[in-house]
């Protein structure tokens, strides 16, 4: 998308998150929480649990998470079945922990609700229903096979008294003893964990949906722009075919005038200029028609970057013989070899034309500066025109809008040069920035950044 900024700061013209990566992040929280709860149960509450298999289960889950993170960092892209398998591992580990800690009597049993919730949000419907069936099976299994949760041997007296005051008495609560206090404490901790996981997951999902909406909007805009470019290309090919005859007629008339007025030196100079312009038009039309039958590789020629840019400027001076331009080319030596595609060349010529048109009333020379390193090439075109403002700032870069027409220039353009230039440079992986210069004398700067890895021969 083409954007223009009226201040001096440049404005750049312009995947879904891996579900397993999100699951790995949640699993880190899961492993940490399980370890902390187990340590509290064994060390503070002194519940006589069989700690060895529970510690082993948590260690296995941590190891699986580490290997999964390594696989993702290596560029792995999981399928829905693989994400489902990872969720099944989480369910199995939770079932093992609950088996040694009271089964459904354990307040953490409601954590079985999280895997189906995550599966419903991240996976196809059949996987979500399969996960619901798996957690139901695990819950049902624990109802009949589990090791009872032993009463705590530690001191819960302070929490027990606080709970008694909160419930308005001591008789009922005393009947339950410290087991009831432990259950209430576990339910609270379970709620905190569930709340944190749900809030984390839903906020990430909302951010992902917003990113997807932005991507879809950009894709729709790109498709519309491509349709416009295709229409323009069809019209350009038809116009090129029709212009061949009048250009040939003009060439004949110019030749006859040269023969008739051979003794008029001033007229001969003007006729020479006209003939060069007609030849340039015929050459451009021939290239348009010939390119329709060429593959991309046939239209490319390898040149050193500085030679390519200098040849580009020489061609432009033929088109604009009266334009004055100062050139600075600098960068790593030797300059890299690039493949000079005609569409990119035409895009840069259009940008030079636009700068020259804006600069026409100023006798000072345009400034063309190009610098490059091993990765990119940056081209800047400085003019002393009126700058960017008003309607142009809002519509510049749209098809069929011309800032020359907006300024009531009688020789105004048709409004496709900047549009096509931006589309071509974006297709080459580059970007165009247009911004007003900070110099008190005014003017604008057109900056083009091109990645050399897309242009190198």
């Amino acid at each position: 998308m083409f954007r223009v900024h009226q201040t001096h700061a440049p404005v750049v013209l312009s995947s879904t998150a891996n579900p397993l990566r999100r699951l790995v992040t949640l699993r880190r929280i899961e492993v940490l929480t399980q370890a902390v709860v187990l340590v509290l149960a064994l060390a503070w509450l002194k519940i006589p649990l069989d700690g060895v298999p529970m510690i082993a289960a948590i260690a296995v889950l941590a190891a699986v998470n580490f290997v999964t993170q390594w696989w993702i960092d290596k560029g792995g892209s999981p399928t829905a079945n693989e994400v489902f398998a990872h969720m099944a591992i989480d369910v199995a580990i939770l079932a093992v922990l609950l088996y040694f800690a009271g089964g459904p009597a354990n307040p953490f049993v409601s954590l079985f609700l999280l895997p189906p919730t995550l599966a419903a949000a991240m996976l196809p419907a059949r996987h979500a229903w399969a996960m619901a069936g798996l957690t139901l099976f695990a819950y049902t299994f624990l109802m009949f096979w589990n090791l009872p949760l032993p009463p705590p041997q530690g001191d819960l007296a302070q929490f027990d008294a606080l709970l008694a005051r909160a419930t308005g008495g001591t008789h009922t609560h005393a009947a339950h003893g410290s087991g009831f206090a432990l259950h209430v404490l576990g339910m609270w901790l379970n709620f905190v964990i569930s709340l944190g996981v749900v809030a984390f997951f839903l906020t990430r999902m909302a951010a992902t949906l917003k990113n997807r909406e932005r991507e879809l909007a950009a894709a729709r805009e790109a498709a519309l722009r491509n349709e416009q470019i295709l229409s323009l290309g069809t019209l350009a090919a038809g116009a090129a075919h029709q212009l061949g005859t009048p250009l040939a007629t003009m060439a004949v008339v110019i030749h006859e005038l040269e023969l008739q007025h051979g003794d008029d030196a001033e007229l001969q100079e003007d006729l020479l200029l006209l003939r060069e312009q007609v030849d340039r038009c015929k050459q451009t039309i021939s290239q348009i028609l010939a390119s329709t039958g060429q593959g991309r590789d046939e239209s490319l020629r390898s040149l050193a970057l500085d030679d390519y840019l200098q040849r580009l400027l020489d061609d432009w001076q033929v088109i604009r013989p009266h334009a004055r331009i100062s050139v600075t080319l600098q960068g790593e030596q030797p300059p890299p070899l690039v493949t000079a595609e005609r569409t990119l060349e035409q895009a840069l010529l259009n940008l030079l034309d636009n700068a020259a048109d804006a600069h026409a009333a100023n006798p000072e020379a345009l400034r063309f500066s190009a610098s490059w390193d091993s990765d990119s090439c940056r081209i800047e075109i400085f003019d002393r025109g009126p700058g960017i403002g008003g309607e142009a700032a809002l519509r510049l870069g749209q098809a069929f809008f011309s800032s020359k027409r907006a300024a009531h220039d009688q020789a105004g353009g048709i409004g496709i040069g900047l549009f096509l230039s931006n589309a071509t440079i974006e297709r080459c992986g580059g970007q165009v920035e247009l911004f007003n210069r900070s110099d008190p004398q005014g003017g604008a700067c057109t900056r083009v950044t091109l990645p050399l890895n897309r242009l190198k021969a």
Side-chain angles (χ1 to χ4, degrees), residues 7 50 89 129 221 257 275 284 309 311 337 346 350 355 365 389:
T7 66
D50 191 353
I89 292 174
W129 283 108
E221 186 172 344
L257 288 173
R275 180 154 52 84
T284 301
L309 294 173
R311 186 179 64 82
L337 288 177
Q346 189 60 51
N350 286 339

Side-chain angles (χ1 to χ4, degrees), residues 396-411:
L396 202 59
Q398 297 178 6
F400 306 110
F401 172 79
S402 172
S403 59
K404 304 165 195 175
R405 284 209 305 261
H408 306 290
D409 187 343
Q410 293 181 352

Side-chain angles (χ1 to χ4, degrees), residues 246-260 271:
L247 284 173
T249 303
M250 292 170 64
V252 171
V253 171
I254 291 171
H255 180 66
E256 292 178 352
L257 288 173
E258 286 176 333
L259 294 176
Q260 294 173 9
L271 290 174

Side-chain angles (χ1 to χ4, degrees), residues 144-217:
F144 299 98
W145 292 279
N146 65 80
L147 297 181
L149 184 63
Q153 306 300 317
D155 185 13
L156 284 178
Q158 293 183 355
F159 180 76
D160 209 37
L162 179 63
L163 187 62
R165 288 196 298 271
T167 55
T170 59
H171 176 74
T172 303
H173 178 251
H176 292 285
S178 60
F180 179 74
L182 177 63
H183 189 80
V184 171
L185 181 61
M187 289 177 62
W188 175 84
L189 185 57
N190 178 45
F191 177 77
V192 171
I193 296 170
S194 301
L195 187 65
V197 170
V198 170
F200 168 81
F201 182 75
L202 290 182
T203 52
R204 294 293 295 272
M205 283 295 295
T208 301
L209 289 175
K210 290 179 181 178
N211 290 336
R212 174 64 65 87
E213 289 175 359
R214 283 194 291 267
E215 290 174 359
L216 290 176

Side-chain angles (χ1 to χ4, degrees), residues 34 106 186 208 222 244 275 298 319 360 372 389 394 408 419 422 426 452:
Q34 289 172 351
N106 193 302
T208 301
R275 180 154 52 84
E298 296 174 356
I319 304 172
W372 60 87
L394 299 176
H408 306 290
F419 172 74
N422 178 57
E426 280 189 341
L452 290 182

Side-chain angles (χ1 to χ4, degrees), residues 130-150:
M131 182 56 62
L134 180 62
T135 52
L136 179 60
F137 171 80
Y139 196 118
T140 305
F141 175 86
L142 291 173
M143 289 182 65
F144 299 98
W145 292 279
N146 65 80
L147 297 181
L149 184 63

Side-chain angles (χ1 to χ4, degrees), residues 31 54-66 89 93:
V31 170
M54 299 179 74
I55 293 173
I58 296 174
V60 167
L61 187 60
V64 169
N65 206 46
F66 177 81
I89 292 174
I93 295 298

